[in-house]
Amino acid sequence: MRFIEIEHKFVLDADFDLVLFTRALEALRPHRVDALQVRDRYFLTGDGRARHYVLRHRFDRELHQLTIKSLASDPQVRDEINLDLGHHKGDQAAVVDAFVGRMGVVWRGDLLKALDVWYFADCEVVHYVATSGDRALRCVEFEATGQASVPDALTVIDRYERATGFDPATRSRQSLVDLLFPGVLR
């Protein structure tokens, strides 16, 4: 489970009530709440296209990572392996570009996320607006953390979805890259 991400993503419409959602989460007593600006840079290589994975370079005030994420027809459960690049040398975008460039990048996409995060012992809940150029998307994600099995993780996600009024049947079955950059992963 160490290298498995289990989450549900919901694409929001214009009438989503963030205040009501926030109140529902606060009633669940998160141990921490934060707001972050995140820059994600995605890279698709020829090998990634053939073997169904994408690379992500993330930099914000909490994380500096290079990640490999598997691509699946349903991103509910997928591989995610993070290499911590640390903050001690600052943003290493140029080094990551040089490193990934040696792998034969066939596509690259950048996005910014303005996000709010509610941290619980067993789940991270995130509301964000992701933008890339003139494209924007508003989402909520529920990601289980620290469970011993996929069924346990899905039970945790279900509990938070129900407490905040989300129906798992309406979750998105597309990754953020698919949603913001349609067609590039095929």
Side-chain angles (χ1 to χ4, degrees):
M1 293 292 292
R2 180 176 171 200
F3 302 121
I4 302 292
E5 175 187 56
I6 301 148
E7 73 176 18
H8 283 178
K9 177 191 324 304
F10 295 85
V11 177
L12 307 176
D13 54 27
D15 65 344
F16 178 72
D17 190 338
L18 183 57
V19 172
L20 186 62
F21 178 68
T22 299
R23 284 185 191 140
L25 287 170
E26 292 298 327
L28 298 172
R29 309 190 84 139
H31 63 80
R32 184 166 71 102
V33 177
D34 204 354
L36 296 166
Q37 299 294 317
V38 176
R39 189 201 66 222
D40 284 342
R41 299 170 339 119
Y42 288 90
F43 304 89
L44 180 64
T45 64
D47 187 62
R49 180 169 275 147
R51 297 181 56 201
H52 309 289
Y53 68 86
V54 66
L55 300 169
R56 180 189 69 200
H57 176 224
R58 170 168 284 171
F59 186 75
D60 62 44
R61 69 177 156 76
E62 289 188 359
L63 298 173
H64 189 197
Q65 298 173 326
L66 185 59
T67 301
I68 187 169
K69 295 174 81 80
S70 64
L71 301 171
S73 59
D74 183 349
Q76 173 179 257
V77 178
R78 61 185 175 167
D79 296 339
E80 181 177 287
I81 304 165
N82 296 300
L83 296 175
D84 182 5
L85 301 179
H87 281 93
H88 63 286
K89 290 193 175 189
D91 184 1
Q92 297 180 58
V95 174
V96 169
D97 286 346
F99 183 87
V100 173
R102 294 289 185 152
M103 297 177 187
V105 174
V106 297
W107 173 83
R108 173 190 165 147
D110 297 354
L111 61 89
L112 297 173
K113 286 186 194 172
L115 52 88
D116 297 301
V117 187
W118 292 265
Y119 298 92
F120 299 90
D122 54 358
C123 190
E124 290 180 9
V125 181
V126 182
H127 168 269
Y128 62 84
V129 176
T131 58
S132 181
D134 62 351
R135 296 177 305 269
L137 190 66
R138 192 171 172 207
C139 297
V140 163
E141 292 181 4
F142 299 87
E143 182 178 346
T145 57
Q147 282 70 51
S149 70
V150 171
D152 290 347
L154 293 173
T155 298
V156 166
I157 289 172
D158 183 66
R159 188 173 71 244
Y160 286 90
E161 287 171 342
R162 291 184 190 284
T164 56
F166 280 87
D167 178 356
T170 65
R171 72 180 172 84
S172 176
R173 292 191 169 47
Q174 293 181 285
S175 72
L176 184 57
V177 174
D178 285 324
L179 291 164
L180 272 178
F181 306 102
V184 301
L185 299 178
R186 293 180 230 315

